Amino acid sequence: MAFTAERIYWHEGADRAPDTAGRPPAKVDVAIVGAGYTGLSAALHLARAGRSVAVFDAEAVGFGASSRNGGMIGPGLHKLGISGLINAYGEDRAVALLREGLNAVDHLVQFVAAENIACDLALVGRFRGARTDTQYDALLRECDWLRDRIGLPSYPVPRAEQRSEIGSDFYRGGVVYERDGGVHPRKMLLGLAARALEAGAQIVAPCAVTGIEQGGARKLLHTTGGKVEAREVVLATNGYSDRRSAALNRRVVPLETGACTVGPLSPEQMADLSPKGRMHGESGRVFMWYRPTPDGRSFIFGGRFGAGNVSPAARERAYRRAICRVYPQLSDAPISHVWSGLIAMTADHSPHFGHFDGIWMAGGYNGSGVTRSLYFGTKLARRMLGEADAETAFDSLPFKPVPLRTLAPWGAGMLVRWYQMQDDRELRARQ
Ligand SMILES: Cc1cc2nc3c(=O)[nH]c(=O)nc-3n(C[C@H](O)[C@H](O)[C@H](O)COP(=O)(O)OP(=O)(O)OC[C@H]3O[C@@H](n4cnc5c(N)ncnc54)[C@H](O)[C@@H]3O)c2cc1C
């Protein structure tokens, strides 16, 4: 797997993971591959409906992106952008797809409250800075459209007022999205795992699923702990998909991305960086996201800067350059943690869930999966149970295998580099 083992900020200070060592059951109703948000939320719903469920993870529970992400939640919009979505699907469908993002936020907020999961959920809003004047104008148009058509609460912040949002003059103004916020991702993962276990699901980790035989009424899973018969199988491996989860793997392209923590910082420094303690993002093709940690003592920065099979030290240098472009005042601040993880891109930039090649699956969150995976995992379980309220606007989008899949990671890497060059050119051209 293309990731480097490093120091993950979220693993420090969070509760211990539950004891998931043990032998897999010989037979279950549903076997789920992958113990992240997708797999565990599906497991919880299925177990509460009385199904026997076993969730397998090749590593520890929550080993994948669900314990490594930025914890930034929100409607997620869409990688195609609004005009791209309208061009691809027409305006009505674009509206329906974007509304799903708001539904997913509502679902997360209600879920965390109903399940009493202590994960530092705070809907503090997100300030998205525009790197150029043209991008600011585009953000304004988008902001109006989103407010009018899907009811997304958002408002513009002109350049002259942006110091009220961010301790930086780098941007040409920006937009605040009020329905965005943050969680402590590892706490959310462990809370979800605890509820799934209480509901009767079994989590077996570390235990890799090495092959899936289909054909008869029941499927046979080969695992490193022995064989398991299951009536249904769910693939919830997202960016960690490989040939062992082939049906999902041929539909997504895993990409490495990373994050680092800067701190500890003084209360004055924290207030300077983000006066309102918001989540942060920016316009552009290859962008950086950043946020204060829930304890208000450090800042986390992430993105595809320097990611891609390089040493943590090389990645730290790339992060430092990207961070100092926005916050020159952090040129000497200590970087305490650097880590990376895998996300899953899809050919149409949309997430998907459903039944394909005889197997249930959900994934392809394109890097915005904290809110979506919880939502899609639950929708998938509802669909499997034949329950009402299993539909989403994404159902009508076909989940096609990625063309030239074996070359796709190389192609995606080249595309990111090309996008970075275009971003740099636009930055150099601004006055
Ligand atoms: C650095 C980083 C920052 C991110 N920041 C954000 C953010 O701020 N906001 C946001 O919305 N999204 C973010 N994301 C994306 C988000 O974290 C993911 O979309 C989401 O966690 C996916 O959850 P999942 O359960 O589908 O997959 P994962 O959590 O990745 O879980 C997949 C699991 O499958 C297991 N697995 C794989 N193969 C097998 C096998 N054969 N047998 C058994 N187990 C197997 C893996 O070990 C892994 O634990 C970020 C991702 C990364 C990497």
Side-chain angles (χ1 to χ4, degrees):
M1 271 179 192
F3 68 89
T4 323
E6 317 93 330
R7 232 179 121 197
I8 303 174
Y9 172 83
W10 303 113
H11 284 232
E12 290 167 25
D15 287 347
R16 283 169 63 87
D19 181 10
T20 53
R23 289 196 64 73
K27 252 185 195 180
V28 278
D29 292 329
V30 186
I32 299 180
V33 191
Y37 302 139
T38 303
L40 292 172
S41 54
L44 170 60
H45 199 78
L46 289 161
R48 284 203 178 139
R51 300 295 185 275
S52 59
V53 181
V55 189
F56 299 95
D57 203 293
E59 308 284 343
V61 61
F63 169 83
S66 298
S67 294
R68 298 165 182 267
N69 60 72
M72 292 173 62
I73 64 161
L77 303 183
H78 197 282
K79 290 277 180 285
L80 285 179
I82 290 166
S83 52
L85 264 184
I86 294 174
N87 286 342
Y89 305 116
E91 185 149 0
D92 288 347
R93 242 164 126 201
V95 167
L97 290 169
L98 290 166
R99 280 221 176 100
E100 287 293 354
L102 282 175
N103 296 343
V105 177
D106 292 345
H107 173 76
L108 184 145
V109 171
Q110 285 158 17
F111 178 83
V112 164
E115 302 294 339
N116 199 17
I117 295 180
C119 61
D120 303 319
L121 168 63
L123 283 177
V124 288
R126 176 168 59 109
F127 173 74
R128 186 173 178 206
R131 285 170 171 174
T132 65
D133 293 328
T134 315
Q135 288 169 7
Y136 179 64
D137 292 342
L139 280 186
L140 290 196
R141 285 194 300 275
E142 220 176 81
C143 176
D144 287 344
W145 191 93
L146 288 167
R147 209 178 34 236
D148 296 347
R149 295 305 312 271
I150 71 160
L152 181 78
S154 54
Y155 58 87
V157 181
R159 190 176 181 186
E161 292 166 27
Q162 84 182 3
R163 279 263 165 185
S164 64
E165 294 291 342
I166 184 168
S168 170
D169 297 318
F170 176 66
Y171 298 113
R172 301 299 166 104
V175 169
V176 170
Y177 302 101
E178 292 175 281
R179 201 70 188 132
D180 281 49
V183 292
H184 186 303
R186 176 83 178 155
K187 288 184 182 174
M188 191 167 102
L189 184 281
L190 293 180
L192 184 56
R195 296 298 168 270
L197 289 168
E198 285 157 20
Q202 188 180 347
I203 304 174
V204 194
C207 180
V209 173
T210 52
I212 302 167
E213 278 179 44
Q214 301 195 60
R218 299 182 76 94
K219 297 171 180 32
L220 185 65
L221 282 83
H222 296 267
T223 79
T224 45
K227 290 182 185 165
V228 181
E229 259 184 61
R231 269 199 296 163
E232 303 287 358
V233 176
V234 174
L235 295 180
T237 46
N238 202 47
Y240 292 78
S241 304
D242 57 24
R243 63 183 198 295
R244 300 170 301 179
S245 43
L248 181 54
N249 190 43
R250 69 174 71 101
R251 292 176 162 82
V252 298
V253 180
L255 263 194
E256 196 186 35
T257 182
C260 72
T261 306
V262 175
L265 301 170
S266 69
E268 294 73 27
Q269 283 174 300
M270 292 296 290
D272 169 50
L273 300 181
S274 182
K276 294 176 181 157
R278 292 206 200 274
M279 304 291 121
H280 290 265
E282 56 185 12
S283 65
R285 298 168 189 83
V286 185
F287 49 83
M288 183 167 76
W289 52 263
Y290 42 110
R291 58 163 294 178
T293 53
D295 66 5
R297 301 187 63 223
S298 304
F299 237 82
I300 294 183
F301 295 84
R304 284 192 52 81
F305 298 94
N309 256 343
V310 292
S311 70
R315 233 174 308 137
E316 182 175 326
R317 284 194 296 278
Y319 275 117
R320 178 80 70 186
R321 272 196 303 277
I323 292 166
C324 288
R325 197 152 71 171
V326 178
Y327 290 130
Q329 62 269 49
L330 291 181
S331 60
D332 294 328
I335 293 184
S336 58
H337 301 74
V338 182
W339 71 97
S340 63
L342 296 169
I343 57 173
M345 312 305 281
T346 55
D348 63 359
H349 307 281
S350 282
H352 293 272
F353 77 102
H355 196 241
F356 308 94
D357 302 346
I359 294 188
W360 295 96
M361 62 185 77
Y365 304 114
N366 289 272
S368 298
V370 176
T371 318
R372 288 165 159 181
S373 53
L374 200 70
Y375 183 67
F376 275 48
T378 308
K379 287 281 185 187
L380 182 77
R382 286 197 177 129
R383 174 82 52 88
M384 294 171 72
L385 293 164
E387 290 180 356
D389 193 20
E391 289 78 36
T392 75
F394 289 91
D395 298 350
S396 54
L397 307 184
F399 195 10
K400 291 189 188 147
V402 175
L404 301 174
R405 170 64 183 81
T406 43
L407 297 178
W410 176 83
M414 294 296 284
L415 201 62
V416 169
R417 247 161 274 151
W418 167 245
Y419 283 158
Q420 268 166 342
M421 278 160 58
Q422 282 182 283
D423 282 346
D424 288 346
R425 191 169 41 81
E426 282 172 8
L427 272 179
R428 279 196 304 272
R430 74 180 197 177
Q431 292 136 9

